């Protein structure tokens, strides 16, 4: 029997187990119920997508200067075009806009540097981003130094303000959140209870309340005549709120590091801050990145709440433009534009976090 | 120079001294009235059934665990609650763990350099030279650029020993350094430990490697239920154990 083997010629794979037809059959039409569900879903998709595309692209008006240029059935993107400067820069003086562009260009370069794996000197770029960049950004945006004229914060608005709120909140919350997370694990009763109370207080309060309190209550506690800038008040509120969430993410990461790591560092004579800074946090940070990005995404969307204290972030300024009498009736375009911009930022962050998760999963060295 | 002078003047003071040490975990009495004096250059093996408090005892010496009663002195320095004093004592004491506890985010070389640079404030070059010297001695210098996760258990444990030696400890604590290893790797780690013993390092080893105990130990200590039950030179300890519990333990461990 064994000697009687006949050689079978290699054959192409049967068409039904590979290729689009087989894929459709296996995944969408594998049984009567599955088929009905698939058809219903396809019907829904088509009946929603076709009119949307028709409205947003095919029947849309793109160029022009006033509402009279919008004669067709579909979306009037002329409105967005006419207002795009305001949507991005708020009331920032036109001839100073380059300062905003330089600031965010610089920020984009730094972030890209940190995000692209192959580039060297990551540690120094991270330090520059967290420590040096905030001062450079402030000098550029606010001015008053190096011969740059001052641009008061009430003129900041639009996407630029959204980014300022989100980035400051994120960057400032990292160190504060780290300290709070360490404090919550501390053996010192005062430090521990302070951290627990702080974290639980801010986590239990909605951001909208925090902002409201920051703008209405804070001035009551300050000595008369002392006035804190409205933007600064919002930033403080957002930072404290975000720190509490960050602290819990970081605490989760710290708990994942085996106790033996800290013990080995202690046995080598390293003190508390060295054990944390050199051994525990670097290992924990790697694991925490997806969680941190998630809180970033929520914060990014939550910044829209600053509207209630009279700051005009991207959504706020779009809404304000909607009530302009020359452009009444374009709220769908306005909200669609704001949604698209938010979506692009949040989706990019989300994709990056997924990429990191995959990378850490496969490339993690024990 | 000054270090030598200090160690000479301390030549007669014990390296480690424990007097009436007691420790509880809640209601559970883990260490009962421990008295132990270790001379400079002495090699001590500690054995006993699992859960008898061996790890807890040696971890009290460098304050990885806190004792509640009694006194501990290391190189003549009394162990107190003071953080500065604890860190000072830890500079005299090296420790090797059952699960190696190498830092997985750092290379082998960085593992050995980190504490030299941040605790002893040595420049990187000097730290790396020292690290390579000790990695050479544990015969693993060619792996210096790898990460711990890329090494076998035996290799990792030898790196852990080198990492500890880089700090020039005067006494080394070993907590079951070979019990997490596959049998074929045990010897390479024991060889390093034997060599270290022959060079005159003061050592306290928790281990059940009785061959190691017979060849290098000056004294073998048997612990059970948080107490030191019996201590003796290896020859009488193995051939003529006094207490019943020691006899039972030895018959179990040597029997199979
Ligand atoms: N953190 C702890 N909390 C409570 N009990 C503990 C703790 N660590 C150890 N023990 C208990 O103390 C006893 C001694 O532990 P250990 O010193 O690790 O024993 P050995 O090293 O001899 O096996 C064991 O019964 C163990 O369960
Ligand atoms: Mg043990």
């Amino acid at each position: 029997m064994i000697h009687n083997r006949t050689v079978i010629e290699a054959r192409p794979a049967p068409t039904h187990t590979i290729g689009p037809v087989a894929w459709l059959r296996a995944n969408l039409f594998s049984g009567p119920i599955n088929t009905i569900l698939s058809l219903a879903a396809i019907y829904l998709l088509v009946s929603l997508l076709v009119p949307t595309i028709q409205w947003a692209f095919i029947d849309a008006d793109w160029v022009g200067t006033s509402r009279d240029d919008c004669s067709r059935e579909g979306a009037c993107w002329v409105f967005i075009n006419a207002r795009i400067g305001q949507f991005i820069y708020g009331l920032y003086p036109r001839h100073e806009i380059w300062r905003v562009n330089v600031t965010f260009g610089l920020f984009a370069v730094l972030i890209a540097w940190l995000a692209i794996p192959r580039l060297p000197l990551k540690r120094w770029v991270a330090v520059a981003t967290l420590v040096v960049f905030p001062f450079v950004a402030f000098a550029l945006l606010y001015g008053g130094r190096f011969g740059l004229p001052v641009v008061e914060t009430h003129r900041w608005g639009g996407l630029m303000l959204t980014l300022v709120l989100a980035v400051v909140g994120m960057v400032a919350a990292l160190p504060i959140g780290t300290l709070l997370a360490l404090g919550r694990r501390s053996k010192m009763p005062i430090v521990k209870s302070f951290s627990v109370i702080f974290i639980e207080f801010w986590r239990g309060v909605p951001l909208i309340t925090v902002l409201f309190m920051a703008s209405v209550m804070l001035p009551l506690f300050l000595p008369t005549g002392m006035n804190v800038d409205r933007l600064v008040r919002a930033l403080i509120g957002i930072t404290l709120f975000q720190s509490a969430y960050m602290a819990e993410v970081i605490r989760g990461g710290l708990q994942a590091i085996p106790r033996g790591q800290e013990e080995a560092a202690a046995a080598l004579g390293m003190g508390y801050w060295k054990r944390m800074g050199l051994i525990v946090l670097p290992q924990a940070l790697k694991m925490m990145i997806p969680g941190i990005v998630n809180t970033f995404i929520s914060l990014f969307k939550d910044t829209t709440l600053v509207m209630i204290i009279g700051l005009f972030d991207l959504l706020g300024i779009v809404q304000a433009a909607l009530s302009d009498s020359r452009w009444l009736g374009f709220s769908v375009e306005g909200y669609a534009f704001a949604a698209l911009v938010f979506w692009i930022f949040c989706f990019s962050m989300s994709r990056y976090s997924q990429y990191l998760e995959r990378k850490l999963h496969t490339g993690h060295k024990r | 120079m000054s270090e030598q002078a200090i160690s000479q003047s301390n030549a007669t003071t014990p390296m480690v001294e424990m007097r009436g040490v007691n420790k509880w975990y809640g209601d559970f009495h883990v260490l009962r009235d421990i008295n132990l004096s270790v001379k400079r250059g002495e090699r001590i093996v500690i054995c006993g059934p699992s859960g008898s408090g061996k790890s807890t005892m040696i971890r009290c010496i460098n304050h990885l665990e806190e004792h509640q009663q009694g006194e501990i002195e290391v190189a003549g320095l009394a162990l107190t609650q003071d953080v500065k004093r604890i860190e000072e004592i830890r500079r005299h004491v090296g420790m090797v763990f059952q699960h190696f506890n190498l830092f997985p985010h750092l290379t082998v070389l960085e593992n050995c350099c980190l504490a030299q640079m941040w605790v002893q404030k040595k420049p990187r070059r000097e730290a790396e030279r020292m690290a390579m010297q000790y990695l050479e001695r544990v015969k693993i210098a060619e792996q210096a650029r790898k990460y711990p996760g890329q090494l076998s258990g035996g290799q990792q444990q030898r790196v852990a020993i080198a990492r500890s030696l880089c700090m020039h400890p005067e006494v080394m604590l070993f907590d079951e350094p070979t019990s997490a290893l596959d049998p074929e790797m045990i010897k390479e780690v024991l060889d390093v430990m034997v060599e270290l013993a022959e060079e005159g390092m003061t050592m306290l080893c928790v281990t059940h490697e009785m061959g190691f105990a017979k060849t290098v130990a000056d004294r073998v200590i048997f612990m059970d239920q948080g107490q030191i039950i019996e201590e003796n030179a290896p020859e009488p300890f193995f051939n003529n154990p006094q207490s019943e519990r020691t006899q039972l333990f030895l018959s179990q461990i040597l029997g199979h």
Side-chain angles (χ1 to χ4, degrees):
Chain A
M1 288 302 270
I2 300 165
H3 303 282
N4 247 350
R5 277 179 306 192
T6 51
V7 177
I8 300 169
E9 289 292 314
R11 285 176 296 203
T15 43
H16 286 286
T17 59
I18 149 176
V21 176
W23 184 89
L24 283 176
R25 183 170 291 173
N27 290 290
L28 299 182
F29 305 106
S30 58
I33 293 175
N34 207 348
T35 306
I36 293 169
L37 286 177
S38 297
L39 288 175
I42 290 168
Y43 171 76
L44 264 177
L45 252 172
V46 169
S47 59
L48 281 174
L49 263 182
V50 169
T52 308
I53 291 171
Q54 184 95 14
W55 175 81
F57 297 101
I58 300 169
D59 290 347
D61 285 295
W62 296 87
V63 283
T65 46
S66 75
R67 65 178 307 143
D68 303 329
D69 297 310
C70 286
S71 52
R72 304 176 60 193
E73 289 280 290
C76 177
W77 299 124
V78 178
F79 165 57
I80 305 294
N81 263 337
R83 292 302 189 109
I84 191 80
Q86 242 186 45
F87 290 170
I88 295 179
Y89 303 102
L91 302 174
Y92 211 87
R94 289 303 90 142
H95 45 278
E96 301 290 341
I97 275 174
W98 65 269
R99 284 155 56 176
V100 180
N101 293 340
V102 169
T103 307
F104 287 107
L106 200 59
F107 185 66
V109 169
L110 288 171
I111 291 297
W113 194 300
L114 291 173
I116 297 170
R118 255 185 295 278
L119 295 175
L121 300 175
K122 284 264 188 314
R123 203 166 299 178
W124 294 108
V125 176
V127 169
T129 311
L130 292 177
V131 182
V132 185
F133 177 74
F135 294 99
V136 175
F138 179 77
L140 271 168
L141 292 179
Y142 187 75
R145 257 151 269 239
F146 313 119
L148 295 173
V150 170
V151 179
E152 295 291 345
T153 56
H154 66 256
R155 311 199 62 166
W156 301 15
L159 178 62
M160 167 221 168
L161 182 69
T162 296
L163 288 174
V164 167
L165 290 166
V167 172
V168 171
M170 292 166 189
V171 170
L174 266 178
I176 300 176
T178 306
L179 289 179
L180 285 170
L182 292 175
R184 195 166 186 164
R185 286 160 51 96
S186 163
K187 289 200 193 83
M188 288 181 276
I190 294 175
V191 174
K192 182 173 177 139
S193 15
F194 172 82
S195 308
V196 171
I197 291 168
F198 185 98
I199 293 170
E200 294 308 331
F201 173 78
W202 290 103
R203 286 212 311 161
V205 183
L207 180 58
I208 197 156
T209 326
V210 174
L211 291 170
F212 194 71
M213 286 198 303
S215 80
V216 179
M217 310 274 286
L218 195 65
L220 300 181
F221 295 116
L222 292 173
T224 41
M226 187 176 157
N227 189 24
V228 178
D229 187 276
R230 192 166 20 171
L231 176 61
V232 174
R233 276 180 275 163
L235 285 175
I236 292 174
I238 286 178
T239 301
L240 295 180
F241 181 82
Q242 179 72 357
S243 301
Y245 277 91
M246 198 59 80
E248 287 301 279
V249 173
I250 293 174
R251 190 166 69 105
L254 292 176
Q255 265 159 358
I257 307 300
R259 223 164 61 113
Q261 289 292 308
E262 216 197 316
E263 287 177 354
L268 288 165
M270 295 164 77
Y272 177 80
W273 293 107
K274 286 173 192 153
R275 300 201 292 268
M276 290 301 137
L278 298 168
I279 304 301
V280 178
L281 280 172
Q283 290 182 61
L285 262 173
K286 263 190 197 171
M287 301 187 188
M288 291 170 331
I289 288 173
I292 290 176
V293 176
N294 274 341
T295 67
F296 281 1
I297 292 175
S298 344
L299 175 67
F300 193 81
K301 292 185 288 189
D302 281 352
T303 55
T304 49
L305 295 172
V306 295
M307 237 186 309
I308 66 139
I309 60 168
L311 290 173
F312 289 96
D313 76 313
L314 175 61
L315 186 61
I317 212 150
V318 167
Q319 263 181 348
L322 294 178
S323 53
D324 181 341
S325 56
R326 284 170 302 158
W327 291 100
L328 284 178
F330 293 119
S331 49
V332 179
E333 285 86 344
Y335 286 119
F337 171 75
L340 179 71
V341 175
F342 275 98
W343 182 81
I344 289 171
F345 277 93
C346 293
F347 184 68
S348 322
M349 286 193 271
S350 154
R351 293 304 306 204
Y352 182 61
S353 141
Q354 281 173 14
Y355 156 79
L356 279 178
E357 241 167 300
R358 264 198 314 275
K359 196 176 120 181
L360 294 180
H361 207 70
T362 51
H364 193 63
K365 300 188 179 102
R366 204 215 89 95
Chain B
M1 291 285 173
S2 63
E3 232 171 60
Q4 226 168 26
I6 291 168
S7 64
Q8 246 151 35
S9 77
N10 285 350
T12 47
T13 57
M15 192 66 241
V16 177
E17 173 93 30
M18 301 176 93
R19 280 190 299 269
V21 171
N22 278 283
K23 175 173 174 61
W24 289 264
Y25 281 122
D27 288 339
F28 178 56
H29 202 167
V30 243
L31 294 181
R32 296 161 188 260
D33 202 28
I34 299 287
N35 289 290
L36 176 67
S37 182
V38 183
K39 290 198 287 284
R40 255 166 217 286
E42 211 178 357
R43 276 98 45 168
I44 292 186
V45 162
I46 301 152
C47 59
S50 161
S52 57
K54 308 178 296 293
S55 300
T56 308
M57 183 177 85
I58 65 166
R59 286 158 62 88
C60 281
I61 296 172
N62 62 354
H63 202 267
L64 288 185
E65 302 288 350
E66 199 173 309
H67 66 287
Q68 278 106 33
Q69 237 176 49
E71 287 139 42
I72 299 179
E73 278 175 26
V74 178
L77 297 165
L79 183 60
T80 63
Q81 298 282 47
D82 179 39
V83 179
K84 285 274 161 296
R85 173 53 61 88
I86 292 169
E87 281 171 20
E88 192 180 354
I89 283 181
R90 282 173 180 166
R91 283 202 282 275
H92 294 274
V93 182
M95 187 160 203
V96 173
F97 300 85
Q98 180 175 1
H99 296 288
F100 332 132
N101 297 359
L102 292 178
F103 308 131
H105 62 306
L106 302 175
T107 64
V108 164
L109 187 63
E110 288 165 339
N111 263 276
C112 295
C113 291
L114 194 73
Q116 293 189 70
M117 287 161 58
W118 289 89
V119 178
Q120 299 178 333
K121 314 277 181 215
K122 279 195 207 163
R124 176 183 290 274
R125 273 250 200 105
E126 208 176 301
E128 285 186 352
R129 219 185 43 221
M130 182 65 59
M132 288 312 292
Q133 195 179 316
Y134 279 107
L135 287 172
E136 206 95 47
R137 270 183 49 182
V138 301
K139 301 181 182 65
I140 202 150
E142 73 283 358
Q143 315 276 17
R145 304 279 163 192
K146 287 197 181 159
Y147 283 89
Q150 297 168 291
L151 305 185
S152 73
Q155 291 173 320
Q156 290 193 46
Q157 193 61 297
R158 284 186 282 145
V159 171
I161 295 173
R163 175 177 74 177
S164 194
L165 291 177
C166 283
M167 302 300 284
H168 300 300
E170 294 174 65
V171 51
M172 287 285 291
L173 310 175
F174 291 86
D175 190 359
E176 305 206 30
T178 55
S179 38
L181 297 177
D182 293 335
E184 71 271 18
M185 296 172 186
I186 290 177
K187 187 173 176 302
E188 64 189 57
V189 172
L190 288 180
D191 285 347
V192 169
M193 291 170 63
V194 169
E195 212 171 284
L196 198 60
E198 281 164 358
E199 286 162 19
M201 175 64 80
T202 313
M203 293 165 74
L204 279 89
C205 310
V206 176
T207 182
H208 294 144
E209 294 297 329
M210 291 306 149
F212 174 79
K214 281 174 188 162
T215 47
V216 305
D218 297 308
R219 202 159 21 130
V220 183
I221 288 176
F222 175 71
M223 279 184 81
D224 194 15
Q225 294 175 1
Q227 281 176 303
I228 295 182
I229 304 291
E230 183 165 348
E231 53 176 296
N232 218 333
E235 207 263 323
F237 181 88
F238 289 111
N239 298 337
N240 189 16
Q242 300 297 304
S243 98
E244 232 169 84
R245 279 194 263 178
T246 317
Q247 289 162 12
L248 182 67
F249 175 74
L250 286 177
S251 72
Q252 279 168 351
I253 207 162
L254 300 171
H256 61 249

